[in-house]
Amino acid sequence: METQRKKKNTCGTICLKYLLFLFNICFWLAGGAVLAVGVWTLVDKSDYVSLLNSGFYSASAFILIVAGVIVTLTGIIGCCATLNEKRSLLIVYLVLLLCVFLLEITAGVLAYVYQQQLDDELRQNLKLNMQQKYLQPGQESITLSVDKLQQEFKCCGSHNFSDWRDSEWIRGEGTQQLVPDSCCKTLSSLCGRRDHPSNIYRVEGGCVEKLEDYIRSQLYILGGVGVGIAFLQLVGMMFTCCLCRNLKEDLY
């Protein structure tokens, strides 16, 4: 009877061992995906982050990057612990899984919370940045971001092209420009002297709604990836706990 029970435990341990090993391979790949999403979010549209006064957007991406690095290392530790059946390493692996789980849930919650307050922040800050900081000394990053925003999203001004009439750039320098050149449908030097709809993005509307839609979609991706991978880790923690228990029983 004792021999039969021991054999049953050994078979269960072997099954759990290979299930956890397969999970670790998937988990390691998922860690690379989490890292890639975090880096892509910061690098691909990093210019637009300077238009936001809040650090929530960047914080969510940075948390995912940190989580992705830890997941990759955790996957390696998990594979070693599983193959060698080292109970102490499995406990370390379980603790790391829990830490990453909390990090990714935090990233997901941050993305969701920030998405709720996105509209108010953009409407308050985008117009202010455009009117007070565009082409001003020491505000080169804002200037580049605004130009890129208007060209990529085919828009002019925060709400519409008339926002530029009250800008420090136009009032301070007495320029003949009516809008920045980046508002033009065909970009050329001093093309912003004409604000006719055939020349600028006048009827297409302002940039605030288009930027809102873009950032919201990015936050959905950040939140979805963070929470999705976090719940995948619950499966890994369950396998790890079962394997730890079986290894303990096998010792007796």
Side-chain angles (χ1 to χ4, degrees):
M1 190 76 171
E2 185 66 32
T3 306
Q4 192 175 7
R5 185 185 166 194
K6 190 173 181 182
K7 186 177 180 182
K8 186 179 176 183
N9 282 343
T10 304
C11 289
T13 302
I14 291 169
C15 288
L16 279 170
K17 176 180 171 180
Y18 286 106
L19 275 173
L20 190 55
F21 182 73
L22 286 173
F23 171 81
N24 274 308
I25 292 173
C26 295
F27 190 53
W28 187 77
L29 293 173
V34 169
L35 182 60
V37 168
V39 171
W40 169 68
T41 301
L42 282 181
V43 173
D44 186 51
K45 300 297 178 184
S46 59
D47 294 331
Y48 301 150
V49 176
S50 62
L51 298 174
L52 306 172
N53 287 348
S54 172
F56 272 128
Y57 182 77
S58 298
S60 296
F62 275 122
I63 288 172
L64 277 188
I65 290 171
V66 171
V69 171
I70 296 174
V71 164
T72 305
L73 295 174
T74 301
I76 296 169
I77 292 172
C79 286
C80 293
T82 305
L83 290 174
N84 295 318
E85 296 185 13
K86 295 287 185 182
R87 194 165 179 271
S88 56
L89 266 180
L90 281 171
I91 292 171
V92 171
Y93 173 64
L94 184 61
V95 171
L96 285 172
L97 274 182
L98 182 60
C99 290
V100 177
F101 174 80
L102 294 174
L103 272 175
E104 287 172 339
I105 286 291
T106 302
V109 170
L110 274 177
Y112 177 77
V113 169
Y114 184 53
Q115 185 266 137
Q116 300 297 307
Q117 66 182 57
L118 178 63
D119 292 1
D120 291 338
E121 181 180 327
L122 267 181
R123 290 180 188 279
Q124 289 173 8
N125 296 328
L126 187 59
K127 186 175 181 179
L128 185 71
N129 282 329
M130 284 182 166
Q131 291 185 336
Q132 296 187 6
K133 297 181 180 180
Y134 185 78
L135 280 180
Q136 297 303 302
Q139 301 294 340
E140 289 78 10
S141 64
I142 296 289
T143 301
L144 288 171
S145 297
V146 169
D147 285 338
K148 185 176 180 181
L149 175 68
Q150 294 189 140
Q151 278 292 296
E152 284 199 6
F153 289 99
K154 302 185 188 317
C155 54
C156 186
S158 177
H159 297 93
N160 55 59
F161 78 101
S162 63
D163 290 337
W164 287 109
R165 292 173 184 168
D166 298 320
S167 70
E168 294 290 332
W169 160 58
I170 287 178
R171 288 189 306 176
E173 295 184 9
T175 179
Q176 294 181 344
Q177 296 270 114
L178 299 175
V179 293
D181 291 339
S182 56
C183 281
C184 297
K185 294 180 178 179
T186 303
L187 191 62
S188 61
S189 181
L190 303 179
C191 64
R193 290 183 175 182
R194 288 179 62 246
D195 61 2
H196 193 271
S198 63
N199 185 51
I200 68 167
Y201 296 114
R202 181 166 172 167
V203 296
E204 287 82 358
C207 298
V208 66
E209 290 183 2
K210 296 182 178 182
L211 186 55
E212 276 175 14
D213 290 341
Y214 171 77
I215 293 179
R216 188 172 284 110
S217 68
Q218 294 289 93
L219 288 171
Y220 283 142
I221 293 171
L222 282 174
V225 169
V227 174
I229 299 296
F231 280 103
L232 178 66
Q233 287 166 229
L234 289 176
V235 179
M237 285 189 267
M238 183 181 70
F239 284 153
T240 307
C241 287
C242 291
L243 184 57
C244 280
R245 190 185 66 182
N246 277 29
L247 287 176
K248 185 177 180 180
E249 287 177 358
D250 287 346
L251 292 175
Y252 300 105

